Amino acid sequence: MPSAPAEYRRIADALTAKIKSGELAPGTKLPSTTELAEQFGVSVATAYRAVSLLHDRELVLGQPGRGVYVAEE
């Protein structure tokens, strides 16, 4: 029986879909990890892991002290 994807992967996949569809355009600031945690009903650590996965996929760029933004294509 297949297991459900981990919560961080579910969040990263949802944000990836929004980026790919253009709903989150290049240069758009993502919500903070705290806001993502509240939005998806998960811990801040889980939200952070989801954003880290987006970094790994090269879909977002972090700007220290400013936030995380959708990367240019």
Side-chain angles (χ1 to χ4, degrees):
M1 174 164 115
S3 61
E7 287 296 297
Y8 77 92
R9 190 171 299 277
R10 181 180 65 83
I11 296 165
D13 289 347
L15 292 172
T16 296
K18 288 183 178 188
I19 292 168
K20 297 282 186 189
S21 74
E23 187 177 337
L24 290 174
T28 302
K29 184 177 179 181
L30 292 186
S32 70
T33 52
T34 301
E35 291 167 336
L36 286 172
E38 290 173 6
Q39 181 180 342
F40 286 94
V42 297
S43 70
V44 171
T46 299
Y48 179 83
R49 193 164 176 196
V51 173
S52 292
L53 185 54
L54 293 176
H55 277 284
D56 292 347
R57 293 176 179 175
E58 299 182 352
L59 294 172
V60 297
L61 298 171
Q63 296 182 5
R66 293 191 59 217
V68 177
Y69 295 82
V70 177
E72 300 290 331
E73 291 192 38

